[in-house]
Amino acid sequence: MSIEQLAETARAMVAPGKGIIAIDESTNTIAKRFAGVGIENTEENRRAYRELLLTTPNLSQYISGAILFDETLRQGTRDGTRFADLMTANGIIPGIKVDKGPQPLAGFPGEVVTEGLDGLRARLEEYYKLGARFAKWRAVINIGEDIPTGTAIEANSHALARYAALCQEQGLVPMVEPEVIMDGAHDIDTCYEVTEVVLRSLFGSLYEFNVMLEGTILKASMVIHGTESAEKASREEVAAATLRCLKSTVPATLPGIVFLSGGQSDEDATAHLDAMNKAGPHPWPLSFSYGRAMQQAALKLWAQDMQGNYGKAQETVFARARDNGLAALGQWEG
Ligand code: 13P
């Protein structure tokens, strides 16, 4: 795979006014989302829900790609069209979550390291054949008393770099995601310090492992106060701190940065992205790769009446895509 092809895919993922919808919840994670609205976690319900999302009319106006879970990449619509084929036909790039989730890091209470490197080359080869053109790996960095440690940060950066190099070898754009978790009572300054160290470590590892940044996308968490923090930063403060942190750590050769929503409200996620883009131009396009902030309203509607609210749920997905697409241009009006 040439770097030009990887770079072209990466640029298409962050095309102006477009972002990614993350629907790559593992079977355990979607179980929690479904339980929250009273939907049974069966294979057919998961398939039907992903069909609702991916067949939203005109989705590709604001959505460049979607991240799927392994099961979804092998599924299709009721009438038998594979989701990956449907997406490609509609101009939405299929992506795939390839990590196997965080596991406790031995000897480091409260910290985790993401697993999934063993056998990854063969899995990537298969995912490419199934139509995937980018792949996501999520590292989890928790903030708490005396954590994160440098050891946990480095272990996660090392894994991210090894996965990213394998992706590029197999023709997939790596979407590297070091998520600094919002849970906790920490303030925005602590989140800033941690995020800065994490990103420095990540780009150091990517360099050591010969990962080509031109064919890589960063999926970042915003610099924001913890969910239990007594002091809440304003939207302007979150946008300014996130920009400052990214500008001091992320090389300008990267084709783009997308954000996760991480438990922010739908409106906060959109407003923060919009505020950052209103302060542009920046060295890279800043867009979204939201999971919950793209889906939670639609899932609620669908759960109330699967048939009756089908169209309404899709309209909600489209509205969230439009708002976030406008925010990616700094043109959201609130
Ligand atoms: P949220 O936007 O719900 O945080 O999910 C995005 C994601 O893909 C996390 O890995």
Side-chain angles (χ1 to χ4, degrees), residues 5 63 99 103 109 131 150-151 156 159 175-176 224 236 241 289 293 312 316:
Q5 278 167 296
I63 295 293
D99 66 72
Q103 293 296 326
T151 307
N156 279 291
M175 178 190 266
V176 293
I224 189 167
E236 291 69 30
S289 174
K312 262 192 229 160
T316 307

Side-chain angles (χ1 to χ4, degrees), residues 295-312:
Q295 299 181 49
Q296 51 206 3
L299 179 59
K300 229 185 206 169
L301 275 171
W302 188 58
Q304 282 161 10
D305 182 354
M306 286 189 180
Q307 262 141 39
N309 280 352
Y310 199 88
K312 262 192 229 160

Side-chain angles (χ1 to χ4, degrees), residues 151-195:
T151 307
I153 291 171
E154 277 165 36
N156 279 291
S157 293
H158 183 268
L160 275 162
R162 281 189 58 198
Y163 123 89
L166 277 166
C167 283
Q168 293 190 330
E169 178 195 274
Q170 296 301 321
L172 290 106
V173 170
M175 178 190 266
V176 293
E177 179 184 13
E179 176 173 0
V180 177
I181 300 291
M182 276 174 70
D183 297 350
H186 55 273
D187 59 13
I188 187 171
D189 293 341
T190 306
C191 181
Y192 186 105
E193 281 167 33
V194 170
T195 306

Side-chain angles (χ1 to χ4, degrees), residues 20 28 30 34 41 50-51 58 92 147 152 177 186 193 198 205 213 250 263 300 306 326 332-333:
I20 311 274
N28 285 336
I30 198 75
F34 277 3
N41 188 22
R50 268 68 182 251
E51 175 168 356
N58 303 316
I92 296 179
I147 63 169
E177 179 184 13
H186 55 273
E193 281 167 33
V198 165
S205 293
L213 294 187
V250 182
K300 229 185 206 169
M306 286 189 180
L326 290 171
W332 183 62
E333 301 293 344

Side-chain angles (χ1 to χ4, degrees), residues 22 24 136 138 177 179 219 260-262 289-292:
D24 60 328
K136 185 193 98 170
R138 172 173 173 259
E177 179 184 13
E179 176 173 0
K219 176 158 175 167
L260 58 97
S261 57
S289 174
Y290 296 153
R292 282 161 286 182

Side-chain angles (χ1 to χ4, degrees), residues 183-226:
D183 297 350
H186 55 273
D187 59 13
I188 187 171
D189 293 341
T190 306
C191 181
Y192 186 105
E193 281 167 33
V194 170
T195 306
E196 183 176 30
V197 174
V198 165
L199 290 175
R200 272 197 210 298
S201 163
L202 171 63
F203 284 97
S205 293
L206 294 177
Y207 176 74
E208 279 169 32
F209 282 80
N210 287 340
V211 174
M212 297 172 283
L213 294 187
E214 294 83 350
T216 302
I217 294 287
L218 171 67
K219 176 158 175 167
S221 43
M222 294 183 198
V223 175
I224 189 167
H225 51 269

